[in-house]
Amino acid sequence: MVVNVSISLVNNPSAVYYPGQTVQACVQFHSTVQNRVKGIYAKFKGNSHTSWSTGSGDNKQSHSETEQYFKTEIPLFQAPEGDYVEMQPGNYGYPVNFLLPQVVPSSFEGGTGYVRYLIKAKVRIKGGTDYRVQHPFTVIFMLDLNTIPEARLPAQMQDTKTGCCLCCKTGPVTCMIRLDKQGFVPGENIKINAEVTNNGTSSIHMTTVSLNMTTVFKAHGSTTSRSKVLSTISHGAVGPRESDIWSGDQLLVLSTPPSYLYGCSIIDIQYSCRLAADMEGSLMDIKFDLPVIIGTIPLRPLEDLPLQPPTMSYGQPSEPSWLPSNDQQPDNIALNNMGNAGPITTQPGRPPDAPPSYEECMTTNRVRIMRQNSNSADQGEEFSNFAPSYPYYKEKA
């Protein structure tokens, strides 16, 4: 006897969706024997969750919070109450649609917390095992850099320290970093302009510039944060009375979630370019962060923008105009209220130069998802390591 349950997405190999789009799926049920089936159900679920512990032993405390965006179960096939239907051996497919709410945050997997979207399917067998399976998908809330005035502006930061060497005061070491703009998208290179001036008596062993991601997780008034270095470039030693100039060195933005994680009130994501100077034989290393913004739609030339480009707002977003049209709407599906949603942006009214490709996230955790449930000895439960995918813009050569 073989029973196999799986879920497939219809006409969307990337498994990427946007708020307000319809998710079209098919629940597939295969059996080589007759089954007494009580019902077949699909469930669409979107939520965020944070969880961590502090202290140890008797002082250990657990912190967690969940934010629900939607949770809707749709019966695909259902026998009368308390009864069942004899289903003959064969292959069965049940199409199902679900309309995503207009405001939901981007997918995110971060270990300590996540924003996750799933389609679940369940086949209830009378007097037997219920078969359950789930299929993850990515949701992207569009963060258009053209709606954020700061994204287009240049930024600069510097720090100066004067240290001691063998109890003698040395000359100052000054580090400066400058960016032509503050907003970037995955696939784009951040062009680094920097200057390191060493007026001290000790050498600088190395200078580095890194793109850092800091995620803040919240749970009922408690917070914790996690930081990760996404990419790094470096220069060599700078001797006493010497300087080093960075002229447009390129720091790649990998596939990564957008800044802020709008629509989620328990997870916040911030990015920065960090300049660090490692001094030889000294405790006065220089390290500071220049904030940057990672979006999903790149900056366009000013002449291509409307006379009054939209800025950050709290209005309901509209679907990006370059997305594939989808006129099919689900029937009789009740959506739950959003609950606490963070600030949002107006969604773009014009497409970028070309629709982006999508690449799996390179900067956060993967989650193990059971994609197939079968009692077959050669199939069994099939798992996959899922990571969300994000828009990725490859710069033209």
Side-chain angles (χ1 to χ4, degrees):
M1 180 182 83
V2 174
V3 176
N4 184 5
V5 181
S6 61
I7 301 171
S8 61
L9 297 175
V10 178
N11 298 324
N12 192 341
S14 68
V16 174
Y17 298 88
Y18 293 82
Q21 274 197 299
T22 297
V23 180
Q24 298 176 309
C26 184
V27 176
Q28 294 151 336
F29 174 54
H30 166 73
S31 178
T32 60
V33 297
Q34 184 172 297
N35 289 278
R36 296 178 174 181
V37 178
K38 298 172 67 176
I40 300 176
Y41 305 87
K43 180 184 289 185
F44 291 81
K45 182 179 179 181
N47 73 297
S48 59
H49 179 73
T50 58
S51 179
W52 73 93
S53 298
T54 56
S56 59
D58 294 338
N59 296 320
K60 187 174 182 179
Q61 287 186 313
S62 297
H63 309 270
S64 66
E65 186 168 352
T66 299
E67 193 170 75
Q68 189 94 349
Y69 306 119
F70 55 85
K71 184 179 180 181
T72 302
E73 185 173 85
I74 304 170
L76 306 177
F77 169 82
Q78 194 169 18
E81 183 68 27
D83 201 354
Y84 60 87
V85 172
E86 295 276 4
M87 294 187 67
Q88 299 302 314
N91 297 308
Y92 299 86
Y94 298 89
V96 60
N97 295 342
F98 181 77
L99 180 65
L100 292 172
Q102 288 289 332
V103 182
V104 284
S106 293
S107 298
F108 171 73
E109 295 290 341
T112 304
Y114 61 77
V115 178
R116 189 175 298 164
Y117 299 94
L118 294 170
I119 309 172
K120 297 184 175 184
K122 176 175 64 177
V123 179
R124 299 189 60 196
I125 307 293
K126 181 177 177 60
T129 301
D130 288 351
Y131 292 89
R132 302 170 187 266
V133 70
Q134 52 191 358
H135 195 301
F137 61 94
T138 300
V139 172
I140 298 173
F141 184 89
M142 300 299 283
L143 183 61
D144 186 354
L145 295 177
N146 299 281
T147 68
I148 307 174
E150 295 81 1
R152 195 176 295 275
L153 299 178
Q156 180 173 313
M157 186 177 289
Q158 73 174 41
D159 191 15
T160 300
K161 287 189 177 180
T162 301
C164 295
C165 184
L166 298 178
C167 300
C168 298
K169 188 174 182 179
T170 67
V173 174
T174 300
C175 295
M176 182 275 295
I177 184 172
R178 184 179 69 255
L179 304 178
D180 294 334
K181 59 179 182 176
Q182 298 175 54
F184 305 89
V185 293
E188 189 175 2
N189 284 299
I190 302 175
K191 295 176 174 58
I192 305 297
N193 296 292
E195 184 173 355
V196 179
T197 302
N198 182 8
N199 288 319
T201 57
S202 299
S203 292
I204 298 173
H205 173 66
M206 179 186 296
T207 57
T208 62
V209 174
S210 59
L211 177 61
N212 286 25
M213 174 183 178
T214 300
T215 309
V216 177
F217 302 93
K218 307 172 187 178
H220 301 293
S222 299
T223 62
T224 188
S225 63
R226 304 287 185 268
S227 295
K228 180 180 292 187
V229 176
L230 307 186
S231 53
T232 303
I233 51 177
S234 61
H235 278 203
V238 181
R241 311 298 175 185
E242 293 181 354
S243 62
D244 181 38
I245 305 295
W246 299 52
S247 299
D249 292 50
Q250 296 189 350
L251 186 64
L252 178 64
V253 181
L254 301 174
S255 178
T256 194
S259 294
Y260 314 130
L261 213 60
Y262 279 116
C264 178
S265 66
I266 60 175
I267 303 175
D268 180 44
I269 299 175
Q270 303 286 336
Y271 294 93
S272 64
C273 284
R274 173 175 295 176
L275 190 153
D278 179 17
M279 302 293 297
E280 291 184 349
S282 173
L283 299 178
M284 69 160 204
D285 292 348
I286 293 179
K287 183 185 295 184
F288 57 89
D289 291 80
L290 183 62
V292 295
I293 303 166
I294 305 300
T296 59
I297 292 183
L299 289 167
R300 299 190 292 273
L302 284 173
E303 57 269 21
D304 292 345
L305 295 176
L307 293 178
Q308 293 183 336
T311 56
M312 305 277 273
S313 74
Y314 291 83
Q316 293 291 315
S318 59
E319 187 178 276
S321 60
W322 51 267
L323 291 177
S325 61
N326 192 341
D327 296 329
Q328 278 194 279
Q329 301 298 322
D331 296 326
N332 303 320
I333 297 177
L335 302 181
N336 293 341
N337 291 331
M338 273 295 297
N340 296 323
I344 64 171
T345 64
T346 299
Q347 295 291 273
R350 298 182 59 187
D353 291 340
S357 60
Y358 300 102
E359 293 201 3
E360 283 194 346
C361 183
M362 303 290 292
T363 63
T364 60
N365 296 41
R366 288 174 170 265
V367 60
R368 196 164 181 251
I369 300 289
M370 187 171 70
R371 299 287 290 272
Q372 178 176 271
N373 193 343
S374 173
N375 67 354
S376 169
D378 61 345
Q379 288 181 315
E381 296 178 343
E382 178 183 314
F383 291 86
S384 65
N385 294 320
F386 170 75
S389 297
Y390 300 107
Y392 194 84
Y393 297 82
K394 295 182 180 179
E395 289 193 334
K396 297 177 182 179

